[in-house]
Amino acid sequence: MTAANAPLLEIDDLFVRYGVPRGLVGGLRRKPRLAVHAVDGITLMVQAGELVALVGESGCGKTTTAQAVLRLVDPASGSIRFRGDDITELGMRALRPVRRRMQIVYQDPYESLDPRLRVRATVEEPLLIHGIGSKKERPSLVCDALTRAGLSPPELYLERFPHQLSGGQRQRVAIAAALVLDPQLLVADEPVSMLDVSVRAGVLRLLEELKASGLGILMITHDLSTAARFADRIAVMYLGRIVEEGPAAEVVGNPQHPYTKALLSVVPRRDPRMRRTPQILRGETPDAVRIPSGCRFHPRCPIAIEACRSEDPSLRRPDGTRSPDHRAACLLA
Amino acid sequence: MTALLQIEDLNVWFDLPDRGELHAVQGVSVGIEPGERLGLVGESGCGKTTTVLALMGLLPPSASASGRVLFEGKDVLAGGETSMRPHRWTDVAIVFQGAMNALNPVRTIGSQIVEAIELHGRAKRAAARMQTGELLESVGIPAARADRFPHELSGGMRQRAAIAMALSCRPKVLIADEPTTALDVMVQAQILELLDSLCTDFGLGLILVTHDLPVVAQLCDYGVVMYAGEIVERGLVDTLYHAPRHPYTRLLFAATPDLGHETEEIVSIPGAPPRLDQPLVGCPFRPRCDSAFSPCVTVRPVLRGLSDRHAAACHLNDLPLATPR
């Protein structure tokens, strides 16, 4: 059932685990089965015309979350709703029409484009896969997508190979190949981190325009300054959980969780006069196989108290916040 | 006073198999003092890595270099490999881009550093192992971890091990080529803190090669901005940010999102850098510049000193009332 005013994407209490191979010896010895708790109970919403940034360090589960949304990995539990429809259990055939409406753009346009395909073929391929348009209609759909992605006039690019394009142009081709299916949700996994600084802004501005035209965008990034500038909402992930979430300006301007505060403090500023002593977190990168008891951040937390060892905080609205949508998972916030 | 390391009028050409030459580095001059942190910034292909490879004497055979690389006043470039060899690693060392992923996977990090120390005849066996332990400690790795294999260490730890290896012959200048690019923000902060303390504690001169301006603003005293193989502006990082005198520097900063400036328009610089396999006429940045005027089309601007340690290559600075904004 599709509710007319249902959010574009609703992730509810999502869990994704990857089994750790025990090996032959481990199996014979009946060693306990271990799992990587990549996503450990995430609830997140993306509305149409909204850009949500999922921020966190490598291994925190942000890419796994994106893959689960697109059903590229199967969740262990929880649900994913797209325009109100539960798509968590859909089979491959039933998923196809949904997939057309949710597309992904990957980090590295040097890797994600087939070097032997011309731009025309790369952008046309999704149409062929989904059986959209006749042979006559497809060229104009391809040109429309290229124009929307900022490659105009499209005739200039149609016959080129990826190696004849700059990094920014390649990423725009990847975006055009996603747009050609006229999706409603775009997942962008670190869309600019491989690009030169001078062209990043152009690609980000393109995402901003697409958002204004009604697309919902889930952007995965580790760059808080980009998220702060371009996202409507920011969700900060740590070890498979969202530890803080809210309007971008609130999360950046009035951070509540000590992890968010630490992340913000280490972002290099472009003004040398703004040099501060960064609050560098020590300790090892957390292991998603053995998640700490209580608050999963407590072993690295600078302000942890005794209760943090045993009590697992849930997301709630802290007292010091200005926005009702600003939530943090910290006992002390 | 002689600089610790001085590059003078460095030019590097690459022979292209079919069509002539590519002029990758064009008349670059730069110097570094003990304990100084110098940032070499620019987009991909601007010649920053080629510059540091040239000063290490590590250019590929297809490249030829001219100019002078003076180490403590002595030219090490002119004599080729013979004159470069005694200085490489012992005086100037480099942490290559991606060095953390280039450690030998089947040998422990300790044995790889011991090998570097022994090869250079700095010490033997037990003494080399002891030095290795000290080196690892100095980059923040407990000496007991010397017997770990690279895959047993996190990315940040591997990068520290790569830095320790570069320091194994106690160089006076360390070049770090994109040392934090593949790392997370928190690990990046740890590595930057380490590089900073190495400069402070050991008087190491640091050349940081990066495309990331905020990293330079955070760590370096002095910044050199390269474009299309040449230096377009250099100065104290504070000057570069607050009073840039080349449009490229100003636009690069404006293209970088910054915390606390969320409402500010982020610019993109249209177009792409010029091809370097053809001779350039006029200012190489002109096609992308927002302030170009008539002389930029025909006359190539030269790097001109503006004030102490500040120089830029832009015709705007020759105008009677120079207003680069």
Side-chain angles (χ1 to χ4, degrees), chain B residues 27-46:
Chain B
V28 164
S29 300
V30 73
I32 187 164
E33 310 289 337
E36 189 175 45
R37 303 145 178 90
L38 182 142
L40 199 54
V41 206
E43 292 176 82
S44 13
C46 74

Side-chain angles (χ1 to χ4, degrees), chain B residues 134-283:
Chain B
E134 289 166 9
L135 273 169
L136 288 174
E137 294 278 355
S138 73
V139 298
I141 303 179
R145 298 227 187 144
D147 58 358
R148 297 288 182 93
F149 289 93
H151 75 267
E152 295 177 295
L153 301 174
S154 65
M157 283 292 172
R158 287 205 301 277
Q159 186 64 293
R160 286 170 191 270
I163 293 171
M165 198 181 293
L167 296 176
S168 60
C169 297
R170 311 275 170 197
K172 294 169 188 157
V173 177
L174 179 70
I175 302 165
D177 191 355
E178 301 278 8
T180 60
T181 305
L183 300 173
D184 274 314
V185 273
M186 195 57 71
V187 185
Q188 167 175 303
Q190 292 168 359
I191 297 294
L192 294 180
E193 184 193 41
L194 167 66
L195 292 173
D196 188 54
S197 66
L198 289 172
C199 294
T200 313
D201 300 347
F202 303 114
L204 199 66
L206 176 73
I207 301 179
L208 181 75
V209 180
T210 180
H211 66 275
D212 197 341
L213 270 176
V215 166
V216 171
Q218 192 74 34
L219 180 68
C220 297
D221 316 300
Y222 195 69
V224 174
V225 183
M226 287 186 73
Y227 185 78
E230 58 177 30
I231 295 176
V232 293
E233 184 162 8
R234 61 167 182 230
L236 296 171
V237 287
D238 194 79
T239 316
L240 292 181
Y241 179 73
H242 288 283
R245 295 290 289 272
H246 195 289
Y248 183 58
T249 313
R250 170 170 52 80
L251 288 169
L252 266 189
F253 274 113
T256 312
D258 192 26
L259 286 178
H261 294 91
E262 277 76 39
T263 50
E264 196 175 278
E265 186 72 16
I266 304 293
V267 305
S268 56
I269 310 177
R275 297 173 57 147
L276 298 177
D277 55 352
Q278 286 143 8
L280 293 168
V281 180
C283 173

Side-chain angles (χ1 to χ4, degrees), chain B residues 71-130:
Chain B
F71 193 81
E72 289 175 332
K74 194 176 140 211
D75 191 354
V76 295
L77 188 69
E81 182 64 13
T82 331
S83 64
M84 184 67 79
R85 199 172 178 123
H87 297 279
R88 190 187 299 142
W89 303 118
T90 52
D91 286 327
V92 195
I94 182 167
V95 181
F96 293 107
Q97 180 166 12
M100 54 183 267
N101 300 319
L103 295 167
N104 187 337
V106 296
R107 293 184 51 194
T108 64
I109 54 163
S111 76
Q112 297 182 53
I113 298 173
V114 167
E115 182 183 35
I117 294 173
E118 289 187 340
L119 268 178
H120 285 268
R122 315 278 302 182
K124 288 255 172 275
R125 296 182 193 89
R129 276 200 297 280
M130 208 171 86

Side-chain angles (χ1 to χ4, degrees), chain A residues 156-169:
Chain A
L156 207 59
Y157 301 94
L158 281 173
E159 300 306 325
R160 294 207 200 167
F161 286 103
H163 73 265
Q164 295 167 316
L165 301 171
S166 71
Q169 290 169 339

